[in-house]
Amino acid sequence: MALEPVGVGAQVELAGLGEAELLAVVRGQPRPEHVAIIMDGNGRWATRRGLPRVAGHREGVKAARTIVRAADGLRYLTLYAFSSENWSRPEGEVSTLLSLLERAIRSELPELMRRNVRLRVLGRPHGVPVQVRRGIDHVVQATRDNAGLTLMMAFNYGGRDELIDACRALAREVQAGELQPEEIGEKEIQRALYTADVPDPDLLIRTSGEMRVSNFLLWQIAYTELWITPTLWPDFAVADLYRAIAEFQRRTRRFGGVERGRA
């Protein structure tokens, strides 16, 4: 069934709209170029159902697969899959989660190739088990020439770690005489980040209702629009993604300036 886009000037009540109606709203206006998601709530989803936490992670992988498939029309989608702080969780949970992520990514390779999706990984490679890293790197290399959606997985990632690594890279340039300290500005820091060639997120979605950014893309989200939902990640559906984008499309982004017509 073909969906007619809703006009840019139309104001539609989003609450209660289904997936098809929300998609029509989204198609009626320019979409964000880059959406980032903090996928939170897997453990709570399982606990509330009397299940082991790993069951929540398995459902979370299914939700991620669904959202990636629904992300056509975006240029970049960044998913917070495993933070550097997650190593503090119980050893068994960490081991299971890493293996689950690696298997899920490898199994998605045919689908990623069919849909022309490029996979990139943000984060520190050291500390990750060799088998897990090899499996993920295989998919990264296999999809490197794909020109559709760029799917970035933040894996063993921490925003402060990224800034530390950027500072160290710039310090090495100064030490080598390739850069003067007074030449360091936003442009130089940007190119030293893991996301050097990627635009900052337009929209950051966080599930589970927590009101924090959890050490995620600290530099990049300076002016990113936030959308927080109480929905736990395994229950996050395509309609939720479209609703977040539709609400983003209604906002006025001022980047520190003043909205026209206001003092």
Side-chain angles (χ1 to χ4, degrees), residues 185-256:
E186 288 193 15
K187 180 180 178 181
E188 287 69 32
I189 294 174
Q190 178 67 38
R191 68 172 170 77
L193 297 174
Y194 303 153
T195 56
D197 57 341
V198 175
D200 293 340
D202 301 292
L203 172 64
L204 171 62
I205 298 170
R206 178 166 191 144
T207 61
S208 87
E210 300 292 346
M211 301 292 183
R212 55 179 178 269
V213 297
S214 296
N215 198 21
F216 186 46
L217 301 176
L218 297 180
W219 176 275
Q220 297 90 335
I221 62 172
Y223 283 102
T224 296
E225 295 292 320
L226 307 181
W227 192 83
I228 298 173
T229 175
T231 301
L232 301 178
W233 177 247
D235 292 327
F236 191 83
V238 173
D240 297 305
L241 174 65
Y242 293 160
R243 186 172 292 106
I245 293 174
E247 290 195 9
F248 165 84
Q249 290 170 326
R250 293 183 172 185
R251 299 182 185 180
T252 299
R253 304 184 73 192
R254 297 188 294 276
F255 300 95

Side-chain angles (χ1 to χ4, degrees), residues 82-198:
F82 189 86
S83 77
S84 54
E85 288 81 13
N86 287 157
W87 294 106
S88 64
R89 294 184 178 185
E91 182 178 350
E93 180 180 347
V94 169
S95 177
T96 301
L97 178 56
L98 291 177
S99 297
L100 178 63
L101 287 171
E102 187 266 334
R103 290 197 304 271
I105 291 168
R106 278 194 295 108
S107 68
E108 284 298 299
L109 179 56
E111 177 76 3
L112 296 177
M113 296 302 295
R114 186 183 69 80
R115 295 182 51 243
N116 200 27
V117 175
R118 178 189 181 193
L119 177 68
R120 288 179 55 176
V121 176
L122 310 178
R124 289 177 169 175
H126 54 269
V128 178
V130 174
Q131 182 178 353
V132 173
R133 190 73 207 187
R134 284 177 178 169
I136 295 174
D137 284 347
H138 171 69
V139 179
V140 170
Q141 291 300 313
T143 63
R144 68 184 183 277
D145 295 325
N146 290 349
L149 171 72
T150 295
L151 171 62
M152 295 189 292
M153 184 178 66
F155 184 78
N156 195 26
Y157 174 88
R160 290 182 175 179
D161 289 343
E162 180 179 24
L163 291 173
I164 290 169
D165 289 347
C167 290
R168 288 172 175 170
L170 293 173
R172 286 191 289 270
E173 291 185 30
V174 171
Q175 188 176 45
E178 300 168 354
L179 182 68
Q180 295 300 312
E182 59 272 14
E183 294 175 337
I184 298 175
E186 288 193 15
K187 180 180 178 181
E188 287 69 32
I189 294 174
Q190 178 67 38
R191 68 172 170 77
L193 297 174
Y194 303 153
T195 56
D197 57 341
V198 175

Side-chain angles (χ1 to χ4, degrees), residues 3 14 17-27 31-32 35 37 66-74 203 205 227 236-250:
L3 295 174
L14 300 178
L17 292 185
E19 181 181 316
E21 293 84 1
L22 286 165
L23 178 57
V25 172
V26 166
R27 284 179 171 174
R31 275 163 273 187
V35 173
I37 306 179
T66 298
I67 295 305
V68 170
R69 290 173 177 171
D72 289 332
L74 302 179
L203 172 64
I205 298 170
W227 192 83
F236 191 83
V238 173
D240 297 305
L241 174 65
Y242 293 160
R243 186 172 292 106
I245 293 174
E247 290 195 9
F248 165 84
Q249 290 170 326
R250 293 183 172 185

